[in-house]
Amino acid sequence: MRLIINSGGAQAIDDWRANFQAFAPGLEVAGWHDDVDPASVDYALVWEPDPGRLATFPNLKLIISAGAGVDHILADPQWPRHVPIARMVTARTQTEMAEFVLTSALMLTRDIKRAVDNQARRHWEFFDSVRVAADLRVGIMGLGHLGVASAQLLSRVGFQVSGWSRGASRLEGLPSYAGQDQFGAFLAAADILVCLLPATDSTRGILNAATLSRLPRGACLINAGRGSHMVARDVVAALNSGQLSQAVLDVFDEEPLPPESPLWSHPGIIVTPHCAAIPDRRERARHTAFLIAANERGDALPNVYDARRGY
Ligand code: NDP
Ligand code: OXD
């Protein structure tokens, strides 16, 4: 059985092999640019596969996304539609994302960026009042594996959490909203808006001027979904007008974020380098080995991309 990997580049392949040795010792692990017979490839573990390449493997049984999102695979116009795509969602992914959202929310609550910026210029500014988690309402867009885990952690810390999803909610014990009809009510009750949506046609540009204008004045934004969710100029305009007070941005249309981007230096923005939830290779090898074994047994796989929903 052969797995081909496009994640981390050629320099990562020895590390991948060592990790797969622990979890699937019989598996042949090939690098994306290794000279292998395409017909011998059974499984592919990929991040941003070069367009057309997946379609060259005639016996491919399963595509495994190296991340939770699948947009980087769907961007290939020739991806083989008959082959299922499994998303990389592990308990570790959920913990990492939930802790990233919590860290961001607490930084916003306590205005930590202002203190860090003041430090850079040796300026002592006393903050004469501070907010605590319980003072703030957090609205989470996307109540999937990552949204629910984040909601639960933030709620345990004391934030007033609600969520918004496409269909009926999975947020036990917390208020939730669904669909376009309830989007306005959801936004009106979010002092901190968190985006954990998948990238689809219907979520593209959802963080735009109209959406941001429905938040309470001075609200904050955390975007850890995708750069395509955000209309960057609208976010900057909302920050400049005071409609938004701060934003933590982890994902961008163009990554790495180009040095000339105004987002780097905006005083209201904290930029993080798409690092919210990136399980290490050991964890991803463990989950991939589990998926391959389950698929070989004919078991139903968790978190398979659903073309009807688009995520
Ligand atoms: P899931 O597929 O489990 O959940 C997606 C959620 O979004 C669901 O609640 C779904 O609603 C909701 N949703 C989808 N479309 C719409 C819509 N049009 N309107 C309202 N709600 C919608 O995804 P995950 O939680 O596993 O992952 C979410 C995303 O997080 C990934 O797709 C990826 O883009 C991003 N991500 C970012 C990382 C980072 O490091 N920054 C790391 C990992 C993931 P419903 O419940 O009704 O189906
Ligand atoms: C993912 C990501 O989709 O890292 O997992 O963004």
Side-chain angles (χ1 to χ4, degrees), residues 21 40 118 166 176 191 218:
Q21 187 59 33
S40 71
N118 282 340
R166 204 174 54 110
S176 60
D191 301 311

Side-chain angles (χ1 to χ4, degrees), residues 146-168:
L146 306 184
V148 168
S150 303
Q152 287 168 341
L153 182 61
L154 266 71
S155 172
R156 283 206 298 278
V157 170
F159 285 103
Q160 303 169 50
V161 180
S162 65
W164 179 73
S165 57
R166 204 174 54 110

Side-chain angles (χ1 to χ4, degrees), residues 14 199 237:
D14 288 344

Side-chain angles (χ1 to χ4, degrees), residues 163-176:
W164 179 73
S165 57
R166 204 174 54 110
S169 157
R170 289 186 261 167
L171 256 195
E172 260 174 52
L174 295 172
S176 60

